[in-house]
Amino acid sequence: QNNNKQSIFKIFEFMLNGTMCEDNEVSCTAAEFWALYATDPQKNNEILAGFFPKLLPVLVKRCRYTEELLSLIDFDNDDQSNADKAEDIEPRFYTSRLEREEEEKNNNNNNNNN
């Protein structure tokens, strides 16, 4: 068990180095590793959580917008400093696909009847 944990930490160190790499393709591939590992139900996430003190600062530092994403942001009309209105943050309740399809069907029938 302990050897397994040490092996995983060695893999984590290797992938952390990849995440810090200046080569964008290498760092993106390494970042995908973290997402895949964290969401794999067969993996022990306690081991990953123990690695967070090293990993999280690197992930935050490597977060960046592409030029394309930056071009989509309207900084001049950004309203993040304004308080959200109640209607902007209304909770959304989960509905199953069957319920959504039924609701759409009812809405379509109501629109066709008008």
Side-chain angles (χ1 to χ4, degrees):
Q1 175 82 19
N2 202 21
N3 282 340
N4 188 29
K5 197 174 195 177
Q6 288 175 341
S7 297
I8 292 172
F9 270 125
K10 286 180 182 179
I11 293 169
F12 284 178
E13 289 288 344
F14 176 79
M15 296 308 292
L16 184 65
N17 285 329
T19 306
M20 293 186 294
C21 183
E22 290 302 316
D23 182 317
N24 198 43
E25 188 175 343
V26 172
S27 65
C28 285
T29 301
E32 287 177 29
F33 164 81
W34 300 114
L36 292 171
Y37 189 95
T39 57
D40 186 337
Q42 297 177 351
K43 302 290 187 224
N44 181 350
N45 282 334
E46 288 178 24
I47 298 172
L48 179 61
F51 200 72
F52 279 176
K54 289 183 175 184
L55 174 62
L56 295 180
V58 172
L59 290 177
V60 169
K61 183 179 178 184
R62 297 298 294 171
C63 285
R64 56 189 157 192
Y65 289 104
T66 63
E67 290 298 322
E68 182 182 352
L69 287 174
L70 286 172
S71 72
L72 297 174
I73 299 172
D74 183 4
F75 291 105
D76 294 333
N77 296 313
D78 184 24
D79 67 350
Q80 72 178 4
S81 59
N82 299 337
D84 289 329
K85 299 174 190 162
E87 61 267 16
D88 292 338
I89 55 173
E90 286 181 357
R92 296 183 186 176
F93 298 99
Y94 174 79
T95 56
S96 70
R97 182 173 22 162
L98 184 62
E99 290 171 316
R100 287 190 305 270
E101 288 172 353
E102 188 65 33
E103 186 176 323
E104 281 180 27
K105 188 173 152 184
N106 289 338
N107 287 341
N108 288 337
N109 286 340
N110 289 340
N111 288 338
N112 291 336
N113 291 335
N114 291 333

Tab-separated table of all heavy atoms in Angstrom, residues 68-103:
chain	number	residue	atom	x	y	z
A	68	GLU	N	-8.203	34.373	-28.220
A	68	GLU	CA	-9.575	34.247	-28.724
A	68	GLU	C	-10.592	34.488	-27.608
A	68	GLU	O	-11.568	35.216	-27.790
A	68	GLU	CB	-9.775	32.870	-29.347
A	68	GLU	CG	-11.150	32.667	-29.936
A	68	GLU	CD	-11.353	31.270	-30.512
A	68	GLU	OE1	-10.380	30.497	-30.592
A	68	GLU	OE2	-12.486	30.965	-30.879
A	69	LEU	N	-10.365	33.881	-26.430
A	69	LEU	CA	-11.287	34.082	-25.318
A	69	LEU	C	-11.260	35.529	-24.837
A	69	LEU	O	-12.301	36.105	-24.521
A	69	LEU	CB	-10.957	33.140	-24.169
A	69	LEU	CG	-11.323	31.679	-24.375
A	69	LEU	CD1	-10.818	30.825	-23.231
A	69	LEU	CD2	-12.822	31.524	-24.518
A	70	LEU	N	-10.076	36.126	-24.774
A	70	LEU	CA	-9.974	37.517	-24.356
A	70	LEU	C	-10.735	38.438	-25.300
A	70	LEU	O	-11.332	39.429	-24.869
A	70	LEU	CB	-8.506	37.945	-24.269
A	70	LEU	CG	-7.726	37.398	-23.072
A	70	LEU	CD1	-6.251	37.727	-23.206
A	70	LEU	CD2	-8.282	37.932	-21.765
A	71	SER	N	-10.718	38.112	-26.592
A	71	SER	CA	-11.413	38.957	-27.558
A	71	SER	C	-12.930	38.899	-27.382
A	71	SER	O	-13.642	39.802	-27.807
A	71	SER	CB	-11.034	38.562	-28.988
A	71	SER	OG	-11.617	37.321	-29.334
A	72	LEU	N	-13.432	37.854	-26.747
A	72	LEU	CA	-14.874	37.715	-26.534
A	72	LEU	C	-15.374	38.488	-25.308
A	72	LEU	O	-16.567	38.703	-25.150
A	72	LEU	CB	-15.236	36.236	-26.384
A	72	LEU	CG	-14.961	35.345	-27.590
A	72	LEU	CD1	-15.231	33.889	-27.246
A	72	LEU	CD2	-15.806	35.782	-28.776
A	73	ILE	N	-14.448	38.906	-24.454
A	73	ILE	CA	-14.836	39.608	-23.228
A	73	ILE	C	-14.996	41.092	-23.536
A	73	ILE	O	-14.105	41.736	-24.076
A	73	ILE	CB	-13.782	39.408	-22.119
A	73	ILE	CG1	-13.651	37.923	-21.779
A	73	ILE	CG2	-14.156	40.216	-20.879
A	73	ILE	CD1	-12.515	37.602	-20.835
A	74	ASP	N	-16.145	41.630	-23.172
A	74	ASP	CA	-16.429	43.044	-23.384
A	74	ASP	C	-16.061	43.798	-22.103
A	74	ASP	O	-16.906	44.044	-21.240
A	74	ASP	CB	-17.910	43.227	-23.731
A	74	ASP	CG	-18.262	44.661	-24.048
A	74	ASP	OD1	-17.351	45.515	-24.077
A	74	ASP	OD2	-19.457	44.926	-24.266
A	75	PHE	N	-14.788	44.146	-21.969
A	75	PHE	CA	-14.314	44.781	-20.746
A	75	PHE	C	-14.950	46.149	-20.509
A	75	PHE	O	-15.150	46.551	-19.371
A	75	PHE	CB	-12.779	44.921	-20.773
A	75	PHE	CG	-12.065	43.597	-20.667
A	75	PHE	CD1	-11.465	43.032	-21.782
A	75	PHE	CD2	-11.998	42.928	-19.461
A	75	PHE	CE1	-10.806	41.818	-21.685
A	75	PHE	CE2	-11.341	41.708	-19.358
A	75	PHE	CZ	-10.745	41.158	-20.473
A	76	ASP	N	-15.278	46.872	-21.579
A	76	ASP	CA	-15.869	48.199	-21.435
A	76	ASP	C	-17.260	48.154	-20.823
A	76	ASP	O	-17.664	49.080	-20.109
A	76	ASP	CB	-15.940	48.913	-22.791
A	76	ASP	CG	-14.564	49.224	-23.346
A	76	ASP	OD1	-13.616	49.381	-22.534
A	76	ASP	OD2	-14.435	49.294	-24.577
A	77	ASN	N	-17.999	47.092	-21.099
A	77	ASN	CA	-19.364	46.972	-20.591
A	77	ASN	C	-19.501	45.891	-19.526
A	77	ASN	O	-20.588	45.400	-19.280
A	77	ASN	CB	-20.333	46.691	-21.746
A	77	ASN	CG	-20.374	47.850	-22.711
A	77	ASN	OD1	-20.482	48.988	-22.307
A	77	ASN	ND2	-20.248	47.551	-23.994
A	78	ASP	N	-18.391	45.533	-18.910
A	78	ASP	CA	-18.395	44.501	-17.875
A	78	ASP	C	-19.120	45.034	-16.642
A	78	ASP	O	-18.823	46.125	-16.153
A	78	ASP	CB	-16.968	44.112	-17.528
A	78	ASP	CG	-16.909	42.979	-16.536
A	78	ASP	OD1	-17.873	42.203	-16.457
A	78	ASP	OD2	-15.886	42.866	-15.836
A	79	ASP	N	-20.084	44.276	-16.147
A	79	ASP	CA	-20.869	44.741	-14.999
A	79	ASP	C	-20.560	43.955	-13.727
A	79	ASP	O	-21.371	43.908	-12.811
A	79	ASP	CB	-22.360	44.682	-15.317
A	79	ASP	CG	-22.880	43.276	-15.481
A	79	ASP	OD1	-22.067	42.336	-15.543
A	79	ASP	OD2	-24.104	43.117	-15.542
A	80	GLN	N	-19.377	43.377	-13.642
A	80	GLN	CA	-19.072	42.549	-12.474
A	80	GLN	C	-19.030	43.353	-11.177
A	80	GLN	O	-19.209	42.802	-10.097
A	80	GLN	CB	-17.768	41.793	-12.664
A	80	GLN	CG	-16.520	42.652	-12.582
A	80	GLN	CD	-15.272	41.821	-12.728
A	80	GLN	OE1	-15.333	40.623	-12.955
A	80	GLN	NE2	-14.131	42.447	-12.597
A	81	SER	N	-18.807	44.663	-11.270
A	81	SER	CA	-18.769	45.475	-10.054
A	81	SER	C	-20.174	45.853	-9.579
A	81	SER	O	-20.340	46.338	-8.467
A	81	SER	CB	-17.929	46.731	-10.272
A	81	SER	OG	-18.473	47.499	-11.323
A	82	ASN	N	-21.183	45.622	-10.415
A	82	ASN	CA	-22.571	45.887	-10.015
A	82	ASN	C	-23.152	44.669	-9.308
A	82	ASN	O	-22.862	43.530	-9.670
A	82	ASN	CB	-23.434	46.209	-11.239
A	82	ASN	CG	-22.956	47.434	-11.979
A	82	ASN	OD1	-22.284	48.269	-11.411
A	82	ASN	ND2	-23.292	47.527	-13.251
A	83	ALA	N	-23.985	44.935	-8.320
A	83	ALA	CA	-24.618	43.830	-7.595
A	83	ALA	C	-25.554	43.067	-8.530
A	83	ALA	O	-26.192	43.655	-9.413
A	83	ALA	CB	-25.400	44.371	-6.406
A	84	ASP	N	-25.615	41.751	-8.341
A	84	ASP	CA	-26.519	40.928	-9.137
A	84	ASP	C	-27.963	41.198	-8.723
A	84	ASP	O	-28.269	41.417	-7.561
A	84	ASP	CB	-26.227	39.441	-8.924
A	84	ASP	CG	-24.924	39.012	-9.553
A	84	ASP	OD1	-24.548	39.603	-10.574
A	84	ASP	OD2	-24.287	38.097	-9.018
A	85	LYS	N	-28.842	41.171	-9.699
A	85	LYS	CA	-30.279	41.300	-9.435
A	85	LYS	C	-30.819	39.925	-9.090
A	85	LYS	O	-30.289	38.906	-9.521
A	85	LYS	CB	-30.990	41.842	-10.674
A	85	LYS	CG	-30.514	43.212	-11.089
A	85	LYS	CD	-31.146	43.616	-12.408
A	85	LYS	CE	-30.492	44.863	-12.926
A	85	LYS	NZ	-30.723	45.077	-14.335
A	86	ALA	N	-31.890	39.904	-8.335
A	86	ALA	CA	-32.478	38.634	-7.905
A	86	ALA	C	-32.823	37.752	-9.098
A	86	ALA	O	-32.591	36.540	-9.077
A	86	ALA	CB	-33.711	38.876	-7.045
A	87	GLU	N	-33.356	38.347	-10.171
A	87	GLU	CA	-33.747	37.538	-11.326
A	87	GLU	C	-32.526	36.983	-12.078
A	87	GLU	O	-32.638	36.022	-12.819
A	87	GLU	CB	-34.654	38.311	-12.279
A	87	GLU	CG	-34.047	39.563	-12.873
A	87	GLU	CD	-34.357	40.831	-12.077
A	87	GLU	OE1	-34.787	40.748	-10.919
A	87	GLU	OE2	-34.152	41.910	-12.644
A	88	ASP	N	-31.357	37.610	-11.864
A	88	ASP	CA	-30.143	37.115	-12.516
A	88	ASP	C	-29.597	35.857	-11.844
A	88	ASP	O	-28.855	35.103	-12.457
A	88	ASP	CB	-29.046	38.186	-12.512
A	88	ASP	CG	-29.390	39.367	-13.399
A	88	ASP	OD1	-30.226	39.193	-14.309
A	88	ASP	OD2	-28.816	40.442	-13.182
A	89	ILE	N	-29.939	35.683	-10.585
A	89	ILE	CA	-29.358	34.569	-9.830
A	89	ILE	C	-30.411	33.617	-9.279
A	89	ILE	O	-30.188	32.944	-8.294
A	89	ILE	CB	-28.462	35.090	-8.684
A	89	ILE	CG1	-29.218	36.059	-7.774
A	89	ILE	CG2	-27.213	35.745	-9.231
A	89	ILE	CD1	-28.448	36.478	-6.549
A	90	GLU	N	-31.552	33.567	-9.936
A	90	GLU	CA	-32.596	32.644	-9.497
A	90	GLU	C	-32.062	31.222	-9.527
A	90	GLU	O	-31.359	30.840	-10.467
A	90	GLU	CB	-33.815	32.738	-10.404
A	90	GLU	CG	-34.641	33.981	-10.197
A	90	GLU	CD	-35.859	33.992	-11.110
A	90	GLU	OE1	-36.025	33.077	-11.933
A	90	GLU	OE2	-36.644	34.934	-10.980
A	91	PRO	N	-32.403	30.438	-8.533
A	91	PRO	CA	-31.929	29.047	-8.549
A	91	PRO	C	-32.588	28.255	-9.677
A	91	PRO	O	-33.733	28.514	-10.048
A	91	PRO	CB	-32.361	28.501	-7.182
A	91	PRO	CG	-33.447	29.412	-6.723
A	91	PRO	CD	-33.216	30.744	-7.369
A	92	ARG	N	-31.855	27.355	-10.210
A	92	ARG	CA	-32.396	26.455	-11.232
A	92	ARG	C	-32.550	25.095	-10.594
A	92	ARG	O	-31.647	24.606	-9.932
A	92	ARG	CB	-31.441	26.363	-12.423
A	92	ARG	CG	-31.303	27.676	-13.121
A	92	ARG	CD	-30.422	27.559	-14.315
A	92	ARG	NE	-30.214	28.889	-14.859
A	92	ARG	CZ	-29.444	29.148	-15.855
A	92	ARG	NH1	-28.784	28.189	-16.442
A	92	ARG	NH2	-29.299	30.377	-16.286
A	93	PHE	N	-33.673	24.525	-10.809
A	93	PHE	CA	-33.948	23.238	-10.206
A	93	PHE	C	-33.742	22.134	-11.227
A	93	PHE	O	-34.088	22.282	-12.394
A	93	PHE	CB	-35.378	23.202	-9.646
A	93	PHE	CG	-35.580	24.211	-8.559
A	93	PHE	CD1	-36.192	25.423	-8.824
A	93	PHE	CD2	-35.114	23.962	-7.283
A	93	PHE	CE1	-36.359	26.365	-7.838
A	93	PHE	CE2	-35.280	24.892	-6.282
A	93	PHE	CZ	-35.902	26.100	-6.560
A	94	TYR	N	-33.178	21.055	-10.770
A	94	TYR	CA	-32.899	19.933	-11.657
A	94	TYR	C	-34.187	19.323	-12.167
A	94	TYR	O	-35.137	19.131	-11.412
A	94	TYR	CB	-32.099	18.858	-10.931
A	94	TYR	CG	-31.924	17.632	-11.772
A	94	TYR	CD1	-30.974	17.591	-12.778
A	94	TYR	CD2	-32.752	16.527	-11.613
A	94	TYR	CE1	-30.827	16.497	-13.588
A	94	TYR	CE2	-32.618	15.413	-12.418
A	94	TYR	CZ	-31.658	15.402	-13.395
A	94	TYR	OH	-31.519	14.305	-14.198
A	95	THR	N	-34.212	19.058	-13.446
A	95	THR	CA	-35.302	18.284	-14.033
A	95	THR	C	-34.674	17.236	-14.933
A	95	THR	O	-33.640	17.472	-15.554
A	95	THR	CB	-36.264	19.158	-14.872
A	95	THR	OG1	-35.517	19.840	-15.868
A	95	THR	CG2	-36.992	20.175	-14.020
A	96	SER	N	-35.298	16.107	-14.969
A	96	SER	CA	-34.780	15.036	-15.818
A	96	SER	C	-35.053	15.368	-17.278
A	96	SER	O	-35.866	16.241	-17.595
A	96	SER	CB	-35.444	13.701	-15.456
A	96	SER	OG	-36.797	13.726	-15.853
A	97	ARG	N	-34.387	14.683	-18.155
A	97	ARG	CA	-34.594	14.896	-19.586
A	97	ARG	C	-36.052	14.621	-19.944
A	97	ARG	O	-36.652	15.345	-20.722
A	97	ARG	CB	-33.670	14.000	-20.398
A	97	ARG	CG	-33.835	14.241	-21.883
A	97	ARG	CD	-32.863	13.547	-22.764
A	97	ARG	NE	-32.243	12.382	-22.178
A	97	ARG	CZ	-31.627	11.449	-22.859
A	97	ARG	NH1	-31.549	11.535	-24.154
A	97	ARG	NH2	-31.074	10.418	-22.278
A	98	LEU	N	-36.633	13.586	-19.360
A	98	LEU	CA	-38.023	13.253	-19.625
A	98	LEU	C	-38.941	14.411	-19.218
A	98	LEU	O	-39.842	14.791	-19.961
A	98	LEU	CB	-38.411	11.975	-18.872
A	98	LEU	CG	-39.801	11.434	-19.113
A	98	LEU	CD1	-39.980	11.055	-20.586
A	98	LEU	CD2	-40.042	10.205	-18.245
A	99	GLU	N	-38.678	15.003	-18.048
A	99	GLU	CA	-39.485	16.140	-17.596
A	99	GLU	C	-39.309	17.346	-18.519
A	99	GLU	O	-40.283	18.031	-18.841
A	99	GLU	CB	-39.091	16.538	-16.169
A	99	GLU	CG	-39.507	15.520	-15.126
A	99	GLU	CD	-38.922	15.816	-13.761
A	99	GLU	OE1	-37.725	16.138	-13.680
A	99	GLU	OE2	-39.677	15.747	-12.781
A	100	ARG	N	-38.054	17.604	-18.955
A	100	ARG	CA	-37.806	18.732	-19.867
A	100	ARG	C	-38.509	18.504	-21.206
A	100	ARG	O	-39.101	19.426	-21.764
A	100	ARG	CB	-36.308	18.923	-20.087
A	100	ARG	CG	-35.584	19.522	-18.894
A	100	ARG	CD	-34.160	19.916	-19.236
A	100	ARG	NE	-33.361	18.848	-19.795
A	100	ARG	CZ	-32.616	17.986	-19.096
A	100	ARG	NH1	-32.585	18.078	-17.779
A	100	ARG	NH2	-31.915	17.054	-19.690
A	101	GLU	N	-38.437	17.290	-21.717
A	101	GLU	CA	-39.095	16.982	-22.995
A	101	GLU	C	-40.605	17.150	-22.869
A	101	GLU	O	-41.250	17.680	-23.774
A	101	GLU	CB	-38.742	15.568	-23.449
A	101	GLU	CG	-37.308	15.434	-23.924
A	101	GLU	CD	-36.898	13.996	-24.191
A	101	GLU	OE1	-37.677	13.057	-23.880
A	101	GLU	OE2	-35.777	13.800	-24.693
A	102	GLU	N	-41.148	16.717	-21.755
A	102	GLU	CA	-42.585	16.858	-21.518
A	102	GLU	C	-42.965	18.336	-21.432
A	102	GLU	O	-43.961	18.772	-22.008
A	102	GLU	CB	-42.984	16.129	-20.220
A	102	GLU	CG	-44.474	16.058	-19.983
A	102	GLU	CD	-45.206	15.219	-21.025
A	102	GLU	OE1	-44.640	14.235	-21.531
A	102	GLU	OE2	-46.364	15.566	-21.327
A	103	GLU	N	-42.143	19.120	-20.751
A	103	GLU	CA	-42.406	20.554	-20.635
A	103	GLU	C	-42.311	21.231	-22.000
A	103	GLU	O	-43.154	22.065	-22.344
A	103	GLU	CB	-41.407	21.189	-19.662
A	103	GLU	CG	-41.698	22.641	-19.375
A	103	GLU	CD	-40.748	23.217	-18.337
A	103	GLU	OE1	-40.384	22.490	-17.396
A	103	GLU	OE2	-40.375	24.386	-18.493
